[in-house]
Amino acid sequence: MNLKRPNSNEAVGTVNRSRDVVPMSGMCSRCVDGCKGACDVWLASFRGREVLYPGPFGEVTAGADKNYPIDYSHLNIHGYACGANGLPDGVAANPDTAVFDDVNTETDYGWDIKVKMRVPIFTGALGSTDIARINWEHFAVGAAISGITLVCGENVCGVDPELKLGSDGKVVSSPEMDRRINTYKKFHEGYGELLVQMNVEDTRLGTAEYVASKHNLETIELKWGQGAKCIGGEIKVKNLERAQELKKRGYIVLPDPTRADNIAAFKDGAIKEFERHSRLGFVSKEGFLEEVDRLRGIGFKRVTLKTGAYSMKELAMAIRWSSEAKIDLLTIDGAPGGTGMSPWPMMNEWGIPTFYIQSLAYQMAEALKKKGMRVPDLAIAGGFADEANAFKALAMGAPYFKAVCMGRALMIPGMVGKNIEKWIKDGELPKTVSKYGSTIPELFVTYETLKEKYGNRLSEIPVGAIGIYTYTQKFRTGMQQIMAGSRNFSLKSVSRNDLMALTPEAAEVSGIPYVMEAYRDQAWDILLE
């Protein structure tokens, strides 16, 4: 059984002509001379490397759709008929005190200085892609008013058209980075924080020094990789001069925009865009510990790490070295993940899937704890979009995993809100929206709540941010219901005992008891007493 259908996917704009395809290759069973398209092989015959990337760039986010043998749907959540864990001190459990609407969904992370979040989710890295830049105001304000952490991804300074560098090649001024930080701070209320991510180029440009000195940020994030890819970040550039400028700044730009043949091809119209790539990072224990010390020396109170779906060896490196470095949050991103711009074949075919990598991380955390070492606070990422799977991940990883990182699921509400506002102005509300109303106050169920809280400042909140807030409130309520059903009234009481595995394979990978074995001893004691 093939776990994915290769050689055609909407993400890269390709389809098979035939309804019958070869499972291994994805090619049509009957490939006809004269076919007008458009599978991957057909399109790559004249558009070449363009077929590697989801598109159109800047307008879509894409998520790999390989169907792995085990995922979080192979777990179910236990419900109980008695008890109430995690109630405030001094509160006795009874039907009047154990009310789902009172469940506390707050979480926190940090080695010494904790960061609180109102719900246990935060955004994926929103970096130098156009979709992050264009929608930043919606994403940033939405995260701030929702009380969750926002990750400003890699390369933001490096691709800033107005970037100014000093004689030493370091950032002197980056209006785009300034905009991103100030937008979040404008509505930040003490819950969550802004993390700025650094890769190889960011380190060379002095991004950490810039955001520390100008914006007094408390936290910086190092990046080893992500679940969508293990190579450096990419964007597309449609302007020749812009591509040449990025190459001068030290980026890898392909096709090389300084070569005469590529310049000619661009002018002919054959090359329509260039790719800007970041470099591969190289990590060592000594270098990592030194870099963490350097960043703390700059003035950062917290240092976090984002690592991708690398092998078990790199996972062990991340967890052990993060413990020694006293990292404040280690986010582990499983395959396949989503993206604004990553190679589609890589997204589907590389890396350890989320369910498996979190199971391994739990085993390693347990081993480290038994060794007498403190395990850093952990977060898991890679394909999450709802509160049920988020609860499963937090329970499966308890007590080490504090939050779930969500990429596209927290971007979509921002784009929906932005588009609803545009559709209203243009008089083009689709029926899927207009059946609920025709004005912003009618359409968004949280509008009046935000109006009461912010008053006249509500006009400063973009509609996309209202969308993100509305989504997080749905997420919070759904999480409260699930937690109350499992008799957990705060996240600190959630445990692996609250889960059952629906298949023997899921039980073997995760260590969660198989459904026919979970609580068997207690059940038989009750039955036969």
Side-chain angles (χ1 to χ4, degrees):
M1 177 181 177
N2 200 309
L3 302 180
K4 66 181 287 287
R5 180 166 173 162
N7 198 41
S8 68
N9 196 282
E10 184 184 4
V12 291
T14 58
V15 295
N16 286 105
R17 173 191 52 79
S18 173
R19 67 176 180 271
D20 296 316
V21 299
V22 179
M24 176 66 180
S25 67
M27 291 189 289
C28 295
S29 301
R30 193 170 61 101
C31 190
V32 178
D33 186 2
C35 174
K36 296 180 181 179
C39 69
D40 286 13
V41 174
W42 182 90
L43 186 58
S45 301
F46 59 102
R47 296 314 304 168
R49 61 190 304 138
E50 291 179 9
V51 187
L52 290 172
Y53 303 100
F57 172 70
E59 299 177 28
V60 302
T61 60
D65 49 19
K66 188 169 183 176
N67 189 17
Y68 295 117
I70 305 172
D71 62 24
Y72 293 88
S73 70
H74 291 232
L75 301 178
N76 257 29
I77 302 163
H78 279 295
Y80 308 105
C82 53
N85 302 309
L87 288 170
D89 292 341
V91 175
N94 60 60
D96 294 316
T97 59
V99 180
F100 93 79
D101 194 48
D102 292 332
V103 168
N104 184 358
T105 63
E106 289 188 6
T107 189
D108 60 41
Y109 63 84
W111 192 273
D112 292 318
I113 306 172
K114 297 290 185 179
V115 175
K116 289 185 177 181
M117 296 195 297
R118 288 196 171 103
V119 286
I121 55 176
F122 61 97
T123 75
L126 304 167
S128 57
T129 61
D130 280 356
I131 205 154
R133 176 184 57 80
I134 292 168
N135 294 285
W136 180 261
E137 186 179 10
H138 305 279
F139 297 156
V141 176
I145 65 177
S146 299
I148 62 176
T149 288
L150 172 71
V151 183
C152 179
E154 58 192 330
N155 294 311
V156 171
C157 286
V159 303
D160 186 349
E162 299 180 46
L163 175 70
K164 293 182 180 178
L165 300 175
S167 58
D168 58 355
K170 305 295 185 181
V171 180
V172 172
S173 174
S174 176
E176 176 61 15
M177 178 62 81
D178 298 343
R179 178 182 78 93
R180 296 209 183 192
I181 294 173
N182 291 332
T183 302
Y184 181 78
K185 282 185 172 182
K186 188 176 180 181
F187 280 92
H188 183 243
E189 300 170 339
Y191 284 84
E193 64 176 340
L194 179 70
L195 299 178
V196 171
Q197 220 175 57
M198 288 209 311
N199 63 9
V200 175
E201 285 81 10
D202 289 312
T203 302
R204 292 178 178 179
L205 288 171
T207 297
E209 290 84 349
Y210 180 76
V211 299
S213 61
K214 182 165 184 177
H215 295 283
N216 197 30
L217 286 189
E218 294 187 344
T219 311
I220 196 80
E221 179 157 287
L222 295 170
K223 182 175 183 181
W224 287 3
Q226 66 184 78
K229 61 182 183 294
C230 60
I231 60 173
E234 304 91 3
I235 62 170
K236 289 192 174 186
V237 179
K238 295 185 178 182
N239 180 279
L240 176 62
E241 290 73 25
R242 173 79 166 139
Q244 292 170 340
E245 177 186 36
L246 291 175
K247 182 176 175 63
K248 288 180 182 179
R249 290 182 183 177
Y251 285 107
I252 300 168
V253 182
L254 301 171
D256 186 339
T258 63
R259 280 179 41 171
D261 57 339
N262 291 330
I263 294 173
F266 181 81
K267 292 179 178 179
D268 288 343
I271 293 178
K272 301 183 184 300
E273 54 198 8
F274 297 90
E275 306 158 14
R276 185 236 62 202
H277 293 267
S278 299
R279 287 167 173 76
L280 289 171
F282 281 75
V283 297
S284 67
K285 182 175 181 179
E286 181 181 37
F288 176 71
L289 296 177
E290 287 179 354
E291 178 64 1
V292 172
D293 286 342
R294 185 185 75 85
L295 293 170
R296 291 198 174 112
I298 291 172
F300 292 104
K301 296 179 180 179
R302 288 178 294 273
V303 180
T304 63
L305 173 65
K306 169 75 172 296
T307 188
Y310 297 114
S311 77
M312 194 188 303
K313 176 172 64 74
E314 277 79 9
L315 179 62
M317 287 160 50
I319 294 175
R320 172 63 189 249
W321 299 354
S322 292
S323 174
E324 294 188 32
K326 298 182 179 179
I327 288 294
D328 291 273
L329 181 68
L330 168 60
T331 301
I332 301 165
D333 196 356
T339 185
M341 168 72 177
S342 293
W344 186 247
M346 177 172 282
M347 288 176 65
N348 279 283
E349 302 301 338
W350 97 276
I352 302 176
T354 309
F355 187 90
Y356 299 81
I357 204 168
Q358 190 189 13
S359 299
L360 288 170
Y362 175 80
Q363 295 171 20
M364 292 179 182
E366 285 282 277
L368 209 59
K369 181 181 178 182
K370 289 177 182 178
K371 187 178 173 63
M373 298 181 68
R374 177 174 167 179
V375 179
D377 288 340
L378 305 177
I380 188 69
F384 294 96
D386 64 83
E387 58 277 1
N389 278 345
F391 177 91
K392 293 174 187 178
L394 294 172
M396 191 170 88
Y400 308 109
F401 284 82
K402 307 298 183 182
V404 170
C405 176
M406 293 169 47
R408 295 197 300 152
L410 278 170
M411 297 171 71
I412 291 169
M415 293 185 284
V416 169
K418 174 194 70 174
N419 288 321
I420 285 176
E421 181 180 34
K422 181 179 183 297
W423 292 329
I424 290 174
K425 288 180 180 178
D426 296 343
E428 298 176 351
L429 267 183
K431 291 181 180 179
T432 51
V433 179
S434 63
K435 66 180 181 179
Y436 297 103
S438 59
T439 66
I440 299 298
E442 280 184 298
L443 291 169
F444 288 87
V445 297
T446 62
Y447 179 87
E448 293 298 334
T449 300
L450 292 172
K451 183 179 179 181
E452 181 177 342
K453 180 176 181 178
Y454 293 103
N456 292 334
R457 290 195 72 197
L458 184 59
S459 61
E460 302 173 45
I461 297 177
V463 180
I466 298 176
I468 291 174
Y469 178 83
T470 305
Y471 171 82
T472 57
Q473 293 310 297
K474 172 265 181 185
F475 186 100
R476 177 176 178 271
T477 300
M479 180 68 80
Q480 287 178 312
Q481 293 170 339
I482 291 169
M483 289 174 63
S486 64
R487 303 293 173 132
N488 290 294
F489 287 81
S490 72
L491 285 171
K492 294 185 185 301
S493 67
V494 172
S495 75
R496 288 167 62 86
N497 293 331
D498 296 318
L499 298 176
M500 67 189 95
L502 301 180
T503 63
E505 293 80 8
E508 181 181 0
V509 170
S510 67
I512 298 297
Y514 180 50
V515 59
M516 300 306 291
E517 300 298 329
Y519 289 109
R520 175 176 285 273
D521 291 344
Q522 296 95 319
W524 252 243
D525 287 344
I526 293 169
L527 186 69
L528 302 177
E529 66 179 354

